[in-house]
Amino acid sequence: MLVLTRKVGEKLLIGDDVVISIVEVNRGSVRIGVEAPHHVSVLRFEVYQRIQEENLAASRIGSAMDIQQAAALFRRQGAPSEVVGEKDK
């Protein structure tokens, strides 16, 4: 990890197109500004972690629900012939 000391008004450049500006320093907090192209996602790390946790939880629930829904559909309509190997019959 690179650790730098910056003063209010100073900037950092990340890559060719992301600029970090020090806007304000108070007791225990620093306000920063981020200039980045629209295709670059800028998130607070704790928000990013929460999104990842939510996506993981949704994928687990979604997978189980998809399997249950597919099984119910097969029971109601019968499996497609390709699935049960009857394609060539």
Short mmCIF file of all heavy atoms in Angstrom, two decimals, residues 5-46:
data_model
loop_
_atom_site.label_atom_id
_atom_site.label_comp_id
_atom_site.label_asym_id
_atom_site.label_seq_id
_atom_site.Cartn_x
_atom_site.Cartn_y
_atom_site.Cartn_z
N THR A 5 1.20 11.75 2.11
CA THR A 5 0.71 12.90 2.87
C THR A 5 0.34 13.97 1.87
O THR A 5 1.12 14.30 0.99
CB THR A 5 1.80 13.41 3.82
OG1 THR A 5 2.17 12.36 4.71
CG2 THR A 5 1.31 14.60 4.62
N ARG A 6 -0.86 14.50 1.99
CA ARG A 6 -1.34 15.54 1.08
C ARG A 6 -1.98 16.65 1.89
O ARG A 6 -2.48 16.42 2.99
CB ARG A 6 -2.41 15.00 0.11
CG ARG A 6 -1.95 13.87 -0.77
CD ARG A 6 -1.18 14.31 -2.02
NE ARG A 6 0.17 14.71 -1.69
CZ ARG A 6 0.95 15.49 -2.43
NH1 ARG A 6 0.51 15.98 -3.56
NH2 ARG A 6 2.16 15.80 -2.07
N LYS A 7 -2.00 17.85 1.37
CA LYS A 7 -2.64 18.99 2.00
C LYS A 7 -3.90 19.34 1.22
O LYS A 7 -4.06 18.94 0.07
CB LYS A 7 -1.69 20.19 2.02
CG LYS A 7 -0.45 19.96 2.87
CD LYS A 7 0.46 21.15 2.81
CE LYS A 7 1.71 20.87 3.64
NZ LYS A 7 2.67 21.96 3.57
N VAL A 8 -4.78 20.12 1.85
CA VAL A 8 -6.00 20.56 1.18
C VAL A 8 -5.63 21.25 -0.13
O VAL A 8 -4.70 22.06 -0.18
CB VAL A 8 -6.81 21.51 2.09
CG1 VAL A 8 -7.98 22.12 1.33
CG2 VAL A 8 -7.30 20.77 3.32
N GLY A 9 -6.32 20.87 -1.19
CA GLY A 9 -6.06 21.44 -2.51
C GLY A 9 -5.11 20.63 -3.36
O GLY A 9 -5.04 20.82 -4.57
N GLU A 10 -4.37 19.71 -2.74
CA GLU A 10 -3.44 18.89 -3.51
C GLU A 10 -4.19 17.70 -4.11
O GLU A 10 -5.26 17.32 -3.66
CB GLU A 10 -2.28 18.42 -2.62
CG GLU A 10 -1.41 19.59 -2.18
CD GLU A 10 -0.22 19.16 -1.35
OE1 GLU A 10 -0.30 18.14 -0.63
OE2 GLU A 10 0.79 19.86 -1.39
N LYS A 11 -3.58 17.12 -5.15
CA LYS A 11 -4.24 16.05 -5.90
C LYS A 11 -3.32 14.86 -6.09
O LYS A 11 -2.10 14.98 -5.98
CB LYS A 11 -4.69 16.56 -7.27
CG LYS A 11 -5.68 17.70 -7.18
CD LYS A 11 -6.08 18.18 -8.55
CE LYS A 11 -7.09 19.32 -8.41
NZ LYS A 11 -7.70 19.66 -9.68
N LEU A 12 -3.95 13.73 -6.41
CA LEU A 12 -3.24 12.51 -6.78
C LEU A 12 -3.79 12.06 -8.13
O LEU A 12 -4.97 12.24 -8.41
CB LEU A 12 -3.50 11.38 -5.78
CG LEU A 12 -3.14 11.61 -4.33
CD1 LEU A 12 -3.69 10.50 -3.47
CD2 LEU A 12 -1.63 11.68 -4.19
N LEU A 13 -2.96 11.46 -8.94
CA LEU A 13 -3.39 10.91 -10.22
C LEU A 13 -3.27 9.40 -10.17
O LEU A 13 -2.20 8.87 -9.82
CB LEU A 13 -2.54 11.49 -11.35
CG LEU A 13 -2.86 11.00 -12.76
CD1 LEU A 13 -4.26 11.47 -13.17
CD2 LEU A 13 -1.82 11.51 -13.74
N ILE A 14 -4.33 8.71 -10.51
CA ILE A 14 -4.32 7.25 -10.57
C ILE A 14 -4.53 6.87 -12.02
O ILE A 14 -5.55 7.21 -12.62
CB ILE A 14 -5.42 6.63 -9.68
CG1 ILE A 14 -5.18 7.04 -8.22
CG2 ILE A 14 -5.45 5.12 -9.83
CD1 ILE A 14 -6.25 6.59 -7.26
N GLY A 15 -3.57 6.15 -12.57
CA GLY A 15 -3.63 5.83 -14.00
C GLY A 15 -3.56 7.12 -14.80
O GLY A 15 -2.90 8.08 -14.40
N ASP A 16 -4.24 7.14 -15.93
CA ASP A 16 -4.22 8.33 -16.78
C ASP A 16 -5.44 9.22 -16.61
O ASP A 16 -5.44 10.34 -17.10
CB ASP A 16 -4.15 7.90 -18.25
CG ASP A 16 -2.83 7.24 -18.60
OD1 ASP A 16 -1.82 7.59 -17.97
OD2 ASP A 16 -2.84 6.36 -19.49
N ASP A 17 -6.48 8.72 -15.92
CA ASP A 17 -7.73 9.46 -15.97
C ASP A 17 -8.51 9.54 -14.66
O ASP A 17 -9.67 9.91 -14.67
CB ASP A 17 -8.62 8.89 -17.07
CG ASP A 17 -8.80 7.39 -16.96
OD1 ASP A 17 -8.35 6.80 -15.96
OD2 ASP A 17 -9.38 6.81 -17.88
N VAL A 18 -7.91 9.19 -13.54
CA VAL A 18 -8.59 9.32 -12.25
C VAL A 18 -7.79 10.29 -11.38
O VAL A 18 -6.61 10.08 -11.13
CB VAL A 18 -8.73 7.95 -11.53
CG1 VAL A 18 -9.38 8.13 -10.17
CG2 VAL A 18 -9.53 6.98 -12.39
N VAL A 19 -8.47 11.35 -10.95
CA VAL A 19 -7.82 12.37 -10.12
C VAL A 19 -8.51 12.41 -8.76
O VAL A 19 -9.73 12.50 -8.66
CB VAL A 19 -7.91 13.77 -10.78
CG1 VAL A 19 -7.28 14.82 -9.88
CG2 VAL A 19 -7.26 13.76 -12.15
N ILE A 20 -7.73 12.31 -7.70
CA ILE A 20 -8.21 12.39 -6.33
C ILE A 20 -7.76 13.73 -5.76
O ILE A 20 -6.56 14.04 -5.78
CB ILE A 20 -7.62 11.25 -5.45
CG1 ILE A 20 -7.84 9.88 -6.08
CG2 ILE A 20 -8.15 11.33 -4.03
CD1 ILE A 20 -9.27 9.46 -6.19
N SER A 21 -8.71 14.53 -5.28
CA SER A 21 -8.40 15.84 -4.71
C SER A 21 -8.69 15.84 -3.22
O SER A 21 -9.73 15.32 -2.79
CB SER A 21 -9.26 16.92 -5.37
OG SER A 21 -9.05 16.95 -6.75
N ILE A 22 -7.82 16.45 -2.43
CA ILE A 22 -8.08 16.63 -1.01
C ILE A 22 -8.88 17.92 -0.87
O ILE A 22 -8.39 19.00 -1.18
CB ILE A 22 -6.77 16.70 -0.20
CG1 ILE A 22 -5.87 15.50 -0.50
CG2 ILE A 22 -7.08 16.83 1.29
CD1 ILE A 22 -6.51 14.15 -0.30
N VAL A 23 -10.13 17.80 -0.40
CA VAL A 23 -11.04 18.93 -0.35
C VAL A 23 -11.03 19.59 1.02
O VAL A 23 -10.98 20.82 1.14
CB VAL A 23 -12.48 18.48 -0.72
CG1 VAL A 23 -13.47 19.62 -0.58
CG2 VAL A 23 -12.50 17.89 -2.12
N GLU A 24 -11.05 18.79 2.07
CA GLU A 24 -11.16 19.34 3.42
C GLU A 24 -10.63 18.32 4.42
O GLU A 24 -10.81 17.13 4.25
CB GLU A 24 -12.64 19.64 3.71
CG GLU A 24 -12.92 20.27 5.04
CD GLU A 24 -14.43 20.53 5.21
OE1 GLU A 24 -15.16 20.51 4.22
OE2 GLU A 24 -14.82 20.73 6.37
N VAL A 25 -9.99 18.80 5.48
CA VAL A 25 -9.51 17.95 6.56
C VAL A 25 -10.10 18.47 7.86
O VAL A 25 -9.96 19.66 8.17
CB VAL A 25 -7.97 17.94 6.63
CG1 VAL A 25 -7.50 17.08 7.78
CG2 VAL A 25 -7.36 17.46 5.31
N ASN A 26 -10.81 17.61 8.57
CA ASN A 26 -11.38 17.95 9.88
C ASN A 26 -10.87 16.97 10.91
O ASN A 26 -10.10 16.07 10.60
CB ASN A 26 -12.92 17.87 9.82
CG ASN A 26 -13.51 19.01 9.02
OD1 ASN A 26 -13.06 20.14 9.11
ND2 ASN A 26 -14.52 18.69 8.23
N ARG A 27 -11.37 17.11 12.12
CA ARG A 27 -10.98 16.17 13.17
C ARG A 27 -11.46 14.77 12.79
O ARG A 27 -12.64 14.51 12.72
CB ARG A 27 -11.61 16.55 14.50
CG ARG A 27 -11.03 17.79 15.10
CD ARG A 27 -11.65 18.06 16.44
NE ARG A 27 -12.32 19.35 16.36
CZ ARG A 27 -13.21 19.78 17.19
NH1 ARG A 27 -13.60 19.03 18.20
NH2 ARG A 27 -13.74 20.96 17.05
N GLY A 28 -10.54 13.90 12.53
CA GLY A 28 -10.87 12.50 12.30
C GLY A 28 -11.46 12.17 10.94
O GLY A 28 -11.85 11.04 10.70
N SER A 29 -11.55 13.13 10.02
CA SER A 29 -12.09 12.81 8.69
C SER A 29 -11.43 13.67 7.63
O SER A 29 -10.93 14.76 7.89
CB SER A 29 -13.61 13.01 8.66
OG SER A 29 -13.93 14.38 8.77
N VAL A 30 -11.45 13.13 6.43
CA VAL A 30 -10.89 13.81 5.27
C VAL A 30 -11.93 13.76 4.17
O VAL A 30 -12.47 12.69 3.87
CB VAL A 30 -9.59 13.12 4.79
CG1 VAL A 30 -9.06 13.79 3.54
CG2 VAL A 30 -8.55 13.11 5.89
N ARG A 31 -12.26 14.89 3.57
CA ARG A 31 -13.17 14.92 2.42
C ARG A 31 -12.31 14.91 1.17
O ARG A 31 -11.38 15.71 1.04
CB ARG A 31 -14.04 16.17 2.44
CG ARG A 31 -15.03 16.14 3.60
CD ARG A 31 -16.00 17.27 3.52
NE ARG A 31 -16.87 17.07 2.36
CZ ARG A 31 -17.61 18.01 1.81
NH1 ARG A 31 -17.59 19.23 2.27
NH2 ARG A 31 -18.36 17.74 0.77
N ILE A 32 -12.63 13.98 0.29
CA ILE A 32 -11.88 13.90 -0.97
C ILE A 32 -12.85 14.04 -2.14
O ILE A 32 -14.04 13.75 -2.02
CB ILE A 32 -11.09 12.58 -1.08
CG1 ILE A 32 -12.04 11.38 -1.04
CG2 ILE A 32 -10.06 12.46 -0.01
CD1 ILE A 32 -11.37 10.07 -1.37
N GLY A 33 -12.33 14.49 -3.24
CA GLY A 33 -13.08 14.55 -4.49
C GLY A 33 -12.47 13.57 -5.46
O GLY A 33 -11.26 13.39 -5.49
N VAL A 34 -13.32 12.93 -6.26
CA VAL A 34 -12.85 11.96 -7.23
C VAL A 34 -13.35 12.36 -8.61
O VAL A 34 -14.56 12.52 -8.81
CB VAL A 34 -13.34 10.53 -6.89
CG1 VAL A 34 -12.84 9.53 -7.92
CG2 VAL A 34 -12.91 10.14 -5.49
N GLU A 35 -12.43 12.55 -9.53
CA GLU A 35 -12.77 12.79 -10.92
C GLU A 35 -12.38 11.56 -11.70
O GLU A 35 -11.21 11.17 -11.71
CB GLU A 35 -12.01 14.00 -11.47
CG GLU A 35 -12.31 15.31 -10.76
CD GLU A 35 -11.41 16.42 -11.25
OE1 GLU A 35 -11.28 16.61 -12.48
OE2 GLU A 35 -10.82 17.09 -10.38
N ALA A 36 -13.38 10.91 -12.33
CA ALA A 36 -13.12 9.69 -13.07
C ALA A 36 -14.09 9.60 -14.25
O ALA A 36 -15.19 10.15 -14.19
CB ALA A 36 -13.29 8.48 -12.16
N PRO A 37 -13.68 8.90 -15.31
CA PRO A 37 -14.59 8.71 -16.43
C PRO A 37 -15.83 7.92 -15.99
O PRO A 37 -15.81 7.21 -14.98
CB PRO A 37 -13.78 7.88 -17.43
CG PRO A 37 -12.38 7.90 -16.95
CD PRO A 37 -12.39 8.27 -15.51
N HIS A 38 -16.91 8.05 -16.76
CA HIS A 38 -18.16 7.38 -16.40
C HIS A 38 -18.03 5.86 -16.33
O HIS A 38 -18.74 5.21 -15.56
CB HIS A 38 -19.27 7.76 -17.38
CG HIS A 38 -19.70 9.17 -17.24
ND1 HIS A 38 -20.47 9.62 -16.19
CD2 HIS A 38 -19.46 10.26 -18.01
CE1 HIS A 38 -20.69 10.91 -16.32
NE2 HIS A 38 -20.08 11.33 -17.42
N HIS A 39 -17.13 5.28 -17.11
CA HIS A 39 -17.01 3.82 -17.10
C HIS A 39 -16.24 3.29 -15.88
O HIS A 39 -16.19 2.08 -15.67
CB HIS A 39 -16.34 3.33 -18.40
CG HIS A 39 -14.90 3.69 -18.52
ND1 HIS A 39 -14.48 4.90 -19.01
CD2 HIS A 39 -13.77 3.01 -18.20
CE1 HIS A 39 -13.16 4.95 -19.00
NE2 HIS A 39 -12.71 3.81 -18.50
N VAL A 40 -15.67 4.18 -15.09
CA VAL A 40 -14.94 3.77 -13.88
C VAL A 40 -15.88 3.86 -12.69
O VAL A 40 -16.44 4.91 -12.39
CB VAL A 40 -13.70 4.67 -13.66
CG1 VAL A 40 -13.02 4.33 -12.34
CG2 VAL A 40 -12.73 4.55 -14.82
N SER A 41 -16.07 2.74 -12.02
CA SER A 41 -16.92 2.69 -10.83
C SER A 41 -16.16 3.23 -9.63
O SER A 41 -15.02 2.81 -9.38
CB SER A 41 -17.35 1.24 -10.58
OG SER A 41 -18.15 1.16 -9.44
N VAL A 42 -16.77 4.17 -8.92
CA VAL A 42 -16.16 4.74 -7.72
C VAL A 42 -17.11 4.49 -6.57
O VAL A 42 -18.23 5.01 -6.55
CB VAL A 42 -15.89 6.26 -7.88
CG1 VAL A 42 -15.30 6.83 -6.60
CG2 VAL A 42 -14.98 6.52 -9.07
N LEU A 43 -16.70 3.66 -5.63
CA LEU A 43 -17.53 3.29 -4.48
C LEU A 43 -16.71 3.38 -3.20
O LEU A 43 -15.51 3.09 -3.21
CB LEU A 43 -18.05 1.86 -4.60
CG LEU A 43 -18.95 1.53 -5.78
CD1 LEU A 43 -19.16 0.02 -5.86
CD2 LEU A 43 -20.28 2.23 -5.64
N ARG A 44 -17.37 3.73 -2.10
CA ARG A 44 -16.72 3.57 -0.80
C ARG A 44 -16.54 2.06 -0.59
O ARG A 44 -17.39 1.27 -0.97
CB ARG A 44 -17.58 4.16 0.31
CG ARG A 44 -17.74 5.65 0.21
CD ARG A 44 -18.45 6.24 1.43
NE ARG A 44 -19.32 5.34 2.13
CZ ARG A 44 -20.66 5.46 2.18
NH1 ARG A 44 -21.28 6.44 1.56
NH2 ARG A 44 -21.38 4.60 2.87
N PHE A 45 -15.44 1.67 0.01
CA PHE A 45 -15.13 0.25 0.13
C PHE A 45 -16.21 -0.51 0.90
O PHE A 45 -16.58 -1.62 0.54
CB PHE A 45 -13.75 0.04 0.78
CG PHE A 45 -13.31 -1.39 0.72
CD1 PHE A 45 -12.92 -1.95 -0.48
CD2 PHE A 45 -13.30 -2.17 1.86
CE1 PHE A 45 -12.52 -3.28 -0.54
CE2 PHE A 45 -12.90 -3.49 1.81
CZ PHE A 45 -12.51 -4.05 0.61
N GLU A 46 -16.76 0.11 1.97
CA GLU A 46 -17.79 -0.59 2.75
C GLU A 46 -19.06 -0.81 1.93
O GLU A 46 -19.76 -1.80 2.10
CB GLU A 46 -18.09 0.12 4.07
CG GLU A 46 -18.64 1.53 3.95
CD GLU A 46 -17.60 2.61 3.81
OE1 GLU A 46 -16.40 2.33 3.58
OE2 GLU A 46 -17.99 3.79 3.93
#
